Amino acid sequence: MKSSRSTLTWTLIVIVGFLTVSPVLMLAFGSFSEGLSAFGHFTLAKYVAAYTDPALLGVIVNTVVFVLGSTIVATGLALFLAYLNTRTDIPFKFLFGVLAIVPMMIPHLLFSVSWGLLLNPSNGLINSALQQAFSLQGAPFDIYTLHGMILVEGLLNMPIAYLIIAPAMASFDVSLEESSRVFGAGTWRTLLRVTLPVLRPAILAAFVLGVVRSLASYAVPRVLGTPGRVEVLATYLYEMIATGYSPDYGKAAALGMSALATSIVLIWAYRRLTAESGRFVTISSRGWRPTVIELKRMRMPLFIAVALLSFVVIVLPVAVLLYTSFVPYSMVPGPEAFAQMSWRHWKEVIEDPTSLLALRNSLLLAVVGATLGVLLSLFVAYAIVKVRTRASGLLESLTYLSFSFPGIVIGVGFMWFFVQTPLYATLAALLIGYIATYLPYGVRPLASAFVQVHAHLEESSLVCGAGPMTTMRRIIVPLLVPGVVSAWILMATMFLRELTVSVVLSRPGSEVLAVQILGFADDGLWGKLSALGIIMIVISTALVLLATFAGARFKAAQGSAG
């Protein structure tokens, strides 16, 4: 038994190590190489060229402002919403659950495009409506700025920050605040000296994760930054490998090493913060209940603010895409626009061979990739939770290493790897890249599920003569159905909408939906883009519903069989 577990763990270390370490090593080797065709001819010229580029300073400044600004917006909104949801009597609290989950189903690319359709300075729907209503000479808003990028990225990252902060806020013992007030401290002093210090690990964890996500962001800078000539690190790296007659992969790899090192340090800090959060637990008894603060006159105004935020983050992006897919060009909603609605853009997308190929490729990658990813995640989570050896600790570190991979950077690493193999420019390359990048999204829910399965069940099966694989298939897996379904849904939706790795590895014949939609955006084909985007959202929703239904049926069948 012990030897079989050891063999399984080391086998997984080899597989996961190949997926996560190989692109990093290739990125490092590539940064010292003269080019893709001259791999192994080592030189420092790429580092010199990358770090002496006069444009780099401006890119770094833009990146820092974008990353910190969007993270402050996301963390601030999440802290405000978590307080309202867990500590006050604000009505319709189900909105907070919707705000936390549904936006993650909307691809970042489509969310960015929707805001471009609303607030671009030439013909944005909101700008056009305001110009008509108030006879303005110019557009009042311009989303193609650093401020616009910060706003959109902050709204995108807000749900993740909320999911980290809300549980910590819910477990906060308000008697600490009450004691502070009894001793004469005011509201602001209590907030600064008691509430925020106790919640510090959760707030810092949300902030650090927001920084990592913003640093790796490509959709928002590409869709909103490129038209306004606002370059950040992600778009700067992409231009190195995608523009001009001779893409400089070595220079991109040299600069990417710094971004990768920064992300790894940030993820290490995030894991330390979340691991030490137990030191700040303030619930001490079973009878504890959080005190609900009455908002009184502010109850309805704050609810209206939350409802408006829900509309902006969830309803508006999808509504704009749906509306744009039916009108011939960008038009302010009204009788004239409604009279000209048609299915023309939908027909063009359905009849477009490249769009259909991208749709088939994305569906194949989502279904096959998520299935293979969950299968690998199942064994990895088992080794991490149940084996508990130094080897399993190494496996866990390798698994979560990909959390720190900025998509563009690791895409360049995979490019260096695959160009030396027959996998280059194939769907198999995309499949491997997807699984390597998003493996933690499968392992995390399954590891949580394994924690709930008592070791006695497995031991009883082994005592009765069942082998390890039979025990896994007949005993453990049926008990993990909710975790398996969650992991599959998460990975399938991630694969379906994946952009950052795809934009580097995708080639003619291996197009995917996100790359095709980005191509429509570059060409200004907003109607076709919107139609294909709605199709992507519908497919994502259908995959979620099908997987949930299948999981429920499987669980019911197991229950009736038992």
Side-chain angles (χ1 to χ4, degrees):
M1 176 63 184
K2 187 174 181 180
S3 61
S4 62
R5 283 186 169 187
S6 177
T7 302
L8 173 65
T9 303
W10 282 104
T11 302
L12 292 171
I13 287 174
V14 172
I15 295 172
V16 175
F18 166 77
L19 290 173
T20 57
V21 177
S22 293
V24 176
L25 291 177
M26 296 302 292
L27 186 74
F29 283 127
S31 68
F32 291 103
S33 298
E34 295 180 1
L36 289 174
S37 58
F39 184 75
H41 297 273
F42 293 105
T43 176
L44 292 174
K46 299 304 179 181
Y47 278 90
V48 174
Y51 293 100
T52 58
D53 188 340
L56 181 60
L57 179 60
V59 171
I60 291 175
V61 171
N62 286 341
T63 303
V64 171
V65 174
F66 169 68
V67 167
L68 293 181
S70 60
T71 305
I72 290 171
V73 170
T75 308
L77 282 174
L79 190 60
F80 172 69
L81 292 172
Y83 182 82
L84 288 179
N85 185 35
T86 60
R87 302 286 301 281
T88 72
D89 62 344
I90 192 169
F92 300 102
K93 290 189 176 183
F94 70 88
L95 278 178
F96 294 95
V98 174
L99 267 173
I101 298 173
V102 174
M104 292 189 288
M105 301 300 297
I106 303 174
H108 289 198
L109 175 61
L110 297 179
F111 192 88
S112 306
V113 167
S114 68
W115 279 97
L117 292 170
L118 286 168
L119 293 177
N120 77 74
S122 55
N123 57 4
L125 296 179
I126 292 178
N127 280 330
S128 298
L130 291 175
Q131 285 177 271
Q132 290 181 15
F134 299 101
S135 301
L136 301 176
Q137 295 298 318
F141 302 106
D142 185 0
I143 198 68
Y144 297 146
T145 62
L146 192 55
H147 294 91
M149 294 164 56
I150 287 171
L151 172 65
V152 174
E153 186 69 26
L155 291 175
L156 281 169
N157 291 337
M158 179 266 294
I160 300 295
Y162 176 85
L163 289 175
I164 295 173
I165 294 173
M169 185 77 76
S171 61
F172 180 80
D173 191 347
V174 294
S175 64
L176 297 175
E177 292 178 331
E178 294 168 356
S179 300
S180 175
R181 294 192 183 97
V182 165
F183 284 98
T187 302
W188 283 105
R189 183 164 183 165
T190 300
L191 177 67
L192 294 175
R193 300 294 297 273
V194 177
T195 307
L196 293 182
V198 172
L199 295 174
R200 185 176 61 200
I203 295 172
L204 288 176
F207 189 88
V208 169
L209 190 59
V211 169
V212 173
R213 289 172 63 86
S214 297
L215 183 63
S217 174
Y218 178 72
V220 173
R222 173 66 183 275
V223 174
L224 302 181
T226 301
R229 297 183 179 180
V230 181
E231 272 195 324
V232 296
L233 189 60
T235 50
Y236 182 66
L237 286 172
Y238 180 74
E239 287 182 2
M240 286 184 188
I241 62 175
T243 59
Y245 293 102
S246 56
D248 200 335
Y249 289 95
K251 186 178 176 182
L255 195 57
M257 288 300 296
S258 296
L260 184 61
T262 302
S263 294
I264 290 174
V265 171
L266 289 169
I267 287 296
W268 174 83
Y270 166 74
R271 295 191 66 190
R272 284 291 300 271
L273 287 167
T274 53
E276 294 179 1
S277 60
R279 293 168 48 201
F280 294 80
V281 172
T282 60
I283 301 175
S284 58
S285 65
R286 294 184 179 180
W288 174 89
R289 285 188 178 183
T291 301
V292 175
I293 298 173
E294 295 183 2
L295 296 173
K296 299 179 180 178
R297 292 182 180 180
M298 293 300 296
R299 191 166 184 258
M300 289 312 297
L302 286 173
F303 167 71
I304 292 172
V306 173
L308 182 61
L309 183 61
S310 302
F311 176 78
V312 167
V313 175
I314 300 170
V315 178
L316 194 57
V318 179
V320 169
L321 291 172
L322 188 61
Y323 169 77
T324 306
S325 71
F326 288 112
V327 293
Y329 53 89
S330 185
M331 306 171 67
V332 176
E336 182 183 355
F338 295 138
Q340 297 188 51
M341 283 185 169
S342 69
W343 292 92
R344 190 186 77 182
H345 298 308
W346 291 81
K347 291 179 181 178
E348 290 175 350
V349 166
I350 293 173
E351 294 172 358
D352 179 19
T354 306
S355 296
L356 291 177
L357 177 62
L359 178 60
R360 286 196 298 269
N361 288 343
S362 289
L363 276 173
L364 178 66
L365 289 168
V367 175
V368 176
T371 303
L372 293 176
V374 167
L375 186 62
L376 177 60
S377 299
L378 189 67
F379 288 104
V380 170
Y382 174 81
I384 290 174
V385 175
K386 297 296 184 181
V387 176
R388 295 181 180 276
T389 61
R390 289 186 179 181
S392 64
L394 173 62
L395 176 62
E396 183 178 13
S397 299
L398 288 173
T399 300
Y400 290 106
L401 176 64
S402 60
F403 255 141
S404 58
F405 290 170
I408 292 292
V409 173
I410 209 62
V412 174
F414 274 119
M415 172 67 71
W416 279 98
F417 179 78
F418 290 129
V419 78
Q420 312 291 329
T421 72
L423 296 174
Y424 178 71
T426 65
L427 285 180
L430 286 170
L431 183 66
I432 294 171
Y434 286 6
I435 293 174
T437 305
Y438 295 100
L439 183 62
Y441 292 87
V443 172
R444 176 150 290 183
L446 286 170
S448 300
F450 266 116
V451 170
Q452 306 299 320
V453 180
H454 201 284
H456 290 172
L457 295 172
E458 183 181 3
E459 293 167 1
S460 299
S461 175
L462 295 173
V463 166
C464 292
M469 293 303 297
T470 302
T471 301
M472 174 75 78
R473 180 172 55 87
R474 298 292 299 274
I475 304 296
I476 297 176
V477 171
L479 296 173
L480 299 177
V481 169
V484 170
V485 171
S486 297
W488 194 93
I489 289 173
L490 195 55
M491 296 189 85
T493 52
M494 290 286 184
F495 290 2
L496 186 70
R497 70 191 206 184
E498 211 291 323
L499 173 64
T500 51
V501 174
S502 305
V503 80
V504 179
L505 297 181
S506 179
R507 291 293 181 269
S510 61
E511 295 93 343
V512 292
L513 279 176
V515 174
Q516 181 68 1
I517 289 172
L518 189 61
F520 285 154
D522 291 339
D523 296 335
L525 302 174
W526 303 114
K528 294 175 70 173
L529 179 154
S530 299
L532 192 58
I534 293 296
I535 290 173
M536 176 190 281
I537 292 173
V538 169
I539 292 174
S540 295
T541 305
L543 286 174
V544 170
L545 294 176
L546 283 173
T548 305
F549 176 74
R553 288 291 300 271
F554 182 84
K555 191 173 181 180
Q558 289 295 125
S560 61

